[in-house]
Amino acid sequence: QVQLLESGGGLVQAGGSLGLSCAASGSLFKIDSMSWYRQGPGKQRELVARASSGGRATYADSVKGRFTISRDSAKNTASLQMNSLKPEDTAVYYCSAEVSAIDEGNNYFPPYEAWGQGTQVTVAT
């Protein structure tokens, strides 16, 4: 079973910056895409940014130009740099990864989505 551990987050003034990090741990697995989602108060969880295994990044329109996702495939880590933060960015941010388990014969199991526990980001006015 793969575990995702997030770090970063906290309280910041509007216009400020924060960075989030996510590290995957476990054994015998392969990660395809890694993503960041968020869920604001009273809102549904939404995709913020995704980095494919090839390094291609996609962003929600609301964060384009302000957030940057990066990943290190060799280390199974992903980061989200958030600049020019706005109060509406306040949310719990979740790291997710599309994971395929591998058996000792190097056979891949069907992929599943792994999730971190979430980290709070609060942007004050």
Side-chain angles (χ1 to χ4, degrees):
Q1 189 79 6
V2 171
Q3 292 186 327
L4 301 179
L5 182 61
E6 298 137 339
S7 60
L11 174 65
V12 65
Q13 294 293 115
S17 298
L18 277 177
L20 304 179
S21 296
C22 175
S25 63
S27 61
L28 297 176
F29 67 94
K30 179 183 76 71
I31 290 180
D32 190 0
S33 63
M34 294 190 75
S35 306
W36 288 94
Y37 286 77
R38 68 185 181 187
Q39 187 166 14
K43 297 181 180 180
Q44 290 188 333
R45 190 174 297 188
E46 63 174 351
L47 176 66
V48 176
R50 172 168 291 148
S52 71
S53 58
R56 180 171 175 266
T58 56
Y59 299 93
D61 288 342
S62 59
V63 307
K64 281 181 181 176
R66 300 188 298 123
F67 290 13
T68 302
I69 188 171
S70 59
R71 65 176 291 183
D72 185 330
S73 296
K75 296 181 179 179
N76 290 318
T77 60
S79 300
L80 185 69
Q81 178 62 38
M82 304 181 290
N83 299 326
S84 302
L85 283 161
K86 305 175 181 180
E88 51 263 43
D89 294 319
T90 295
V92 177
Y93 283 71
Y94 298 89
C95 175
S96 78
E98 186 177 7
V99 179
S100 294
I102 306 171
D103 67 18
E104 294 181 350
N106 209 33
N107 300 301
Y108 289 83
F109 290 90
Y112 66 93
E113 199 78 15
W115 292 89
Q117 79 286 356
T119 184
Q120 177 70 45
V121 171
T122 302
V123 184
T125 55

